[in-house]
Amino acid sequence: MSEPSDMSQENQPPELIEQGNKHEPMFNNLNYGTVILLGIMVLVHIVRQFAPQGYEFNWAADSVFDTNILKGTSEYDGMGFVQRYWPLIGYQFIHSGVFHLVMNAAMLMQVGPFTEISFIKGANIVNYRHIKYLPQVQGAKIAAAILFIIYFLVCGVAAGIGYYLLNMNSQGYLVGASGSISGIFGGYLIAAFKMAPEGRYVFKPVVSSGIVFLLVNVLGAYLLRASGMIPIAWEAHLAGFVAGMILYPVFMKISERFAGY
């Protein structure tokens, strides 16, 4: 597939420039994969609020990740593979309350679009606003969205396993997308360096962002839980972040084959 041509604003048809500028910047690059994940998170929370009380409890309980699932305790012996391990996926879309949901949704909206765009071969944050409406880019956007959703889910699975490995001597429960989004943030840092016209100039800001993330979402979360204030799963944040950085280059290689235009 051909590399993208010069897509500077001077060379854009007027209708493309107008389309690229008509949205608020916050939503300008909100892509399919990010929107789908946000939609599922919100929809699941709404359904839980309006579902019959007993049904809602059973449905949510079946999706909460219990570390005993991986310990091989007898209570899970009679379950099939999907029923037993579904919570490694399902917990990512269950939130403890509106505040929990809003915080995770806000972070996904911040880092998700940028990371998803990076899965489109030849796209970057500068040219994407002009090329995203071109017919030949639509297939690449769909492929990138599929890869992004899989990347999100795999990071969430890794976050759950990491939480288990750091809590092997106790039973724990995990809900929320923060582990998955921590993985997306790990990819976001690599994508920022890769997509910048002069990557070396963003090296320090990228490293600084990574350090701040670890201080706030790992150390800060650890201190909040240790003090008994908020039970935040810092282990999932750390495991998701590490998994995201390790897996991002793998997904980038896949995107070069399937998400070009």
Side-chain angles (χ1 to χ4, degrees):
M1 298 185 181
S2 61
E3 293 293 325
S5 58
D6 180 10
M7 300 303 293
S8 61
Q9 184 154 336
E10 299 84 38
N11 296 328
Q12 295 305 304
E15 62 272 16
L16 288 185
I17 296 175
E18 182 180 353
Q19 284 179 306
N21 292 330
K22 68 181 181 180
H23 300 296
E24 290 297 320
M26 181 178 182
F27 301 99
N28 199 36
N29 294 321
L30 207 56
N31 269 1
Y32 301 143
T34 305
V35 170
I36 289 171
L37 291 170
L38 286 168
I40 294 174
M41 288 164 55
V42 172
L43 180 62
V44 166
H45 195 74
I46 292 174
V47 169
R48 287 184 59 206
Q49 305 312 304
F50 292 97
Q53 188 172 1
Y55 175 80
E56 186 277 331
F57 176 80
N58 291 332
W59 176 60
D62 287 342
S63 297
V64 171
F65 175 58
D66 177 358
T67 54
N68 279 344
I69 291 172
L70 300 180
K71 290 180 181 179
T73 55
S74 58
E75 62 184 299
Y76 293 102
D77 287 347
M79 291 185 175
F81 181 87
V82 173
Q83 184 182 9
R84 178 167 182 165
Y85 294 106
W86 157 250
L88 279 169
I89 299 292
Y91 90 89
Q92 302 176 44
F93 301 99
I94 301 289
H95 290 84
S96 60
V98 173
F99 180 75
H100 190 197
L101 172 64
V102 169
M103 291 297 292
N104 280 340
M107 187 170 179
L108 180 58
M109 289 176 65
Q110 177 187 6
V111 300
F114 193 92
T115 309
E116 185 175 348
I117 290 169
S118 75
F119 287 150
I120 301 175
K121 184 179 180 181
N124 58 55
I125 203 65
V126 176
N127 68 15
Y128 180 73
R129 64 184 301 210
H130 304 306
I131 67 174
K132 64 181 178 179
Y133 297 105
L134 297 176
Q136 63 267 35
V137 180
Q138 303 313 304
K141 287 172 64 177
I142 293 172
I146 294 171
L147 283 173
F148 178 74
I149 292 171
I150 296 172
Y151 179 56
F152 175 97
L153 295 175
V154 173
C155 287
V157 170
I161 294 173
Y163 178 78
Y164 159 73
L165 291 175
L166 293 171
N167 291 279
M168 293 183 68
N169 296 324
S170 61
Q171 184 179 13
Y173 299 94
L174 190 63
V175 294
S178 55
S180 316
I181 298 169
S182 295
I184 299 297
F185 188 83
Y188 167 83
L189 295 179
I190 301 175
F193 184 78
K194 181 185 79 72
M195 293 171 65
E198 294 290 343
R200 63 183 181 275
Y201 294 125
V202 300
F203 180 76
K204 287 184 178 180
V206 164
V207 172
S208 299
S209 296
I211 293 173
V212 170
F213 173 87
L214 293 173
L215 288 174
V216 173
N217 291 281
V218 178
L219 179 59
Y222 169 81
L223 294 174
L224 284 172
R225 193 171 85 194
S227 66
M229 294 178 64
I230 307 175
I232 301 176
W234 63 267
E235 303 94 331
H237 296 174
L238 178 60
F241 178 76
V242 172
M245 296 201 76
I246 293 173
L247 291 170
Y248 180 81
V250 176
F251 278 82
M252 274 303 304
K253 284 291 185 182
I254 298 173
S255 73
E256 289 175 2
R257 179 174 180 181
F258 296 104
Y261 62 94

